[in-house]
Amino acid sequence: MNQISSDFAPPLKLIAPFFQWGVVFYLLSMGALLFFASTFSYAQMDIAGWLHLFLLGYVMMIIFGAMAQLIPVVLETGHVVVDVYYVILPLLGIGAGVMVMGFWFLPSLLPYGGLLVLIAMLIFAFENMATLKKTAISTLTVSTVKWSNGYLLLGILTGFSIALGLSGQLSIDVPLMLKAHVYAVLGGYVVLTIMGLSLILIPMFSLAHGFDEKAIHRAFRLVILGVGVVFVGAFFTQEWMMMIGYAINTLGIFFYIWQIYNIAKLTVRKELDIWAKSMIFAFLSLLLSLILAGIYFIFGDESLLHAAVWFLLLGFISSFITGHLYKIVPFLVWFERFAPLVGKEKVPMLHEMYSKEGAAMMFWFTAIGIFFGGVGLLFENDMLFKAGGSFLFTGAIFLYITMKKMLSYGA
């Protein structure tokens, strides 16, 4: 397990708003599911709007906040300009909101929202790269940060081109650029970032030590290569190249799952708390997503692809994030608010800083919602899909309530 230090961590007042607004965007995106049908095309503007609401408003917002905290901790050096995160937050939040409105109501807004998001992500990426140059530490997590930020730059530039194309200000092949954009951001940034964080956070929270890291190193190299091959194939309309990239990515993800399994075998912590349940559900969802995607490539049924993406986004990525929020946020609040008081007065334990009942309700409503929603997409059943959306929205309410309680301790 990689050792980390909290000596270089930025203040909570800088990090907390990312988590607060990320959860609000999550609540909005789950509520928006109630207005969608189980049959759709990814070319639809309203679907693109929901994806940006979820990925930019929730996933990116939370990841940016977590990385603002973890990058200097892992690198054992402070941010070059930590105050840029005060600028990144409103640019990303407002930009995401404007883009969603553009997709849903007025396409001419897309370049303006896209420009704000572009600026936010450029600031984030360049500040991270500058911070990386300050350290001599060379670990897999550091390499992951470097590569993921490179793919982030590719993704945001192609995304901004798409925004200009949809608004009629640039003549491009939108479907072609969309594939390149999705794989650069989702596979190149989000998945690589999660893989890098997994090697730190999962062993730390499960108390696992002494595991072999060969599988994660293979996974890292394969995913980097696979995403690059898919990106180039999509950019130059080479379907055969994209298929090779898919296969490489799939192999890389299986090595990643094998690494997590090896860590799980050595875990000392046996309690099935909200974090452990979320991790189990997340990786089962990832396996299911891979299986459905494989069947899709054999039979070509779009409903299989829709269900595969659903279990990847909501089952794996979202569950991975929400599960870690119940570990990361209490620790950050406790470290800043209560650590100086240890030995002087009674301070709360980390698990006392959120409602276990509320967290359990969040987990079960969310898990049931993901299951029903995925089955609804698979069989194109509107009733099951909307039932899943209802459960997910209820789970999002519990997440918002428990998150508000955790952060209230730091007020």
Side-chain angles (χ1 to χ4, degrees):
M1 180 178 73
N2 296 313
Q3 298 300 313
I4 62 175
S5 167
S6 57
D7 295 340
F8 302 97
L12 180 63
K13 66 178 182 179
L14 184 149
I15 304 298
F18 283 89
F19 297 140
Q20 289 171 321
W21 282 105
V23 169
V24 169
F25 274 109
Y26 178 75
L27 181 63
L28 292 173
S29 61
M30 294 305 101
L33 286 174
L34 300 174
F35 299 93
F36 290 92
S38 60
T39 54
F40 59 88
S41 164
Y42 286 117
Q44 291 176 213
M45 293 286 280
D46 56 346
I47 297 298
W50 185 87
L51 287 170
H52 283 78
L53 178 65
F54 177 78
L55 290 172
L56 286 179
Y58 168 58
V59 174
M60 288 297 189
M61 188 72 75
I62 298 293
I63 287 179
F64 278 18
M67 295 303 284
Q69 174 73 25
L70 290 173
I71 284 178
V73 169
V74 171
L75 301 181
E76 297 183 6
T77 184
H79 279 285
V80 172
V81 189
V82 70
D83 287 345
V84 297
Y85 283 88
Y86 290 114
V87 178
I88 291 172
L89 176 68
L91 286 174
L92 180 60
I94 296 171
V98 172
M99 285 196 74
V100 172
M101 292 300 103
F103 279 115
W104 284 351
F105 306 112
L106 191 62
S108 61
L109 291 175
L110 286 172
Y112 302 102
L115 181 60
L116 293 176
V117 171
L118 174 65
I119 294 171
M121 291 189 172
L122 285 174
I123 294 172
F124 173 81
F126 284 122
E127 199 283 331
N128 281 348
M129 291 177 181
T131 302
L132 283 168
K133 288 185 177 180
K134 292 176 58 180
T135 183
I137 295 175
S138 179
T139 64
L140 177 69
T141 302
V142 173
S143 297
T144 302
V145 172
K146 292 178 180 177
W147 277 97
S148 64
N149 276 276
Y151 276 125
L152 178 63
L153 287 173
L154 283 177
I156 58 181
L157 291 173
T158 54
F160 187 61
S161 298
I162 292 170
L164 292 174
L166 290 172
S167 65
Q169 299 180 40
L170 183 66
S171 178
I172 60 168
D173 187 333
V174 171
L176 182 68
M177 294 295 288
L178 180 60
K179 290 181 180 180
H181 171 63
V182 168
Y183 278 96
V185 174
L186 192 57
Y189 181 71
V190 175
V191 172
L192 278 176
T193 297
I194 287 177
M195 287 173 61
L197 292 178
S198 295
L199 199 58
I200 295 175
L201 299 178
I202 291 181
M204 180 171 64
F205 293 137
S206 63
L207 303 180
H209 305 276
F211 52 86
D212 190 348
E213 295 184 7
K214 289 181 181 177
I216 192 67
H217 282 270
R218 290 172 182 167
F220 171 64
R221 289 192 292 267
L222 287 168
V223 171
I224 286 175
L225 176 61
V227 172
V229 170
V230 173
F231 182 87
V232 173
F235 199 85
F236 291 104
T237 331
Q238 299 297 316
E239 190 70 29
W240 63 271
M241 186 179 291
M242 294 177 66
M243 295 300 292
I244 293 174
Y246 296 147
I248 295 172
N249 278 326
T250 301
L251 184 59
I253 295 299
F254 274 118
F255 272 114
Y256 169 55
I257 294 173
W258 180 251
Q259 179 68 66
I260 298 302
Y261 173 72
N262 288 334
I263 294 173
K265 289 193 300 182
L266 297 174
T267 183
V268 175
R269 189 186 299 276
K270 301 299 181 183
E271 179 189 1
L272 280 179
D273 58 6
I274 181 63
W275 174 81
K277 291 177 181 176
S278 297
M279 293 308 100
I280 292 170
F281 185 80
F283 285 99
L284 288 176
S285 295
L286 180 58
L287 274 173
L288 180 57
S289 176
L290 290 175
I291 292 170
L292 290 169
I295 299 173
Y296 162 73
F297 282 112
I298 295 173
F299 296 102
D301 189 337
E302 287 292 320
S303 64
L304 288 164
L305 177 62
H306 295 163
V309 173
W310 174 269
F311 284 110
L312 173 66
L313 294 181
L314 290 167
F316 173 60
I317 294 175
S318 183
S319 295
F320 185 94
I321 291 173
T322 54
H324 277 94
L325 284 176
Y326 284 96
K327 289 289 189 181
I328 294 173
V329 175
F331 173 77
L332 294 180
V333 174
W334 187 92
F335 185 80
E336 180 161 309
R337 174 71 176 81
F338 298 108
L341 303 178
V342 173
K344 300 177 183 178
E345 59 182 75
K346 185 178 180 180
V347 299
M349 302 291 288
L350 292 178
H351 66 83
E352 296 173 342
M353 296 177 65
Y354 65 87
S355 166
K356 288 187 176 181
E357 294 78 11
M361 294 294 282
M362 183 284 301
F363 173 78
W364 287 112
F365 272 105
T366 301
I368 293 170
I370 291 170
F371 174 76
F372 278 132
V375 173
L377 289 174
L378 187 61
F379 294 100
E380 298 185 341
N381 186 302
D382 281 349
M383 184 177 70
L384 285 176
F385 182 72
K386 289 187 181 297
S390 299
F391 276 103
L392 280 163
F393 182 59
T394 305
I397 293 173
F398 280 106
L399 176 63
Y400 175 81
I401 293 171
T402 51
M403 177 62 62
K404 188 174 181 180
K405 179 180 179 181
M406 286 188 281
L407 289 173
S408 69
Y409 280 93

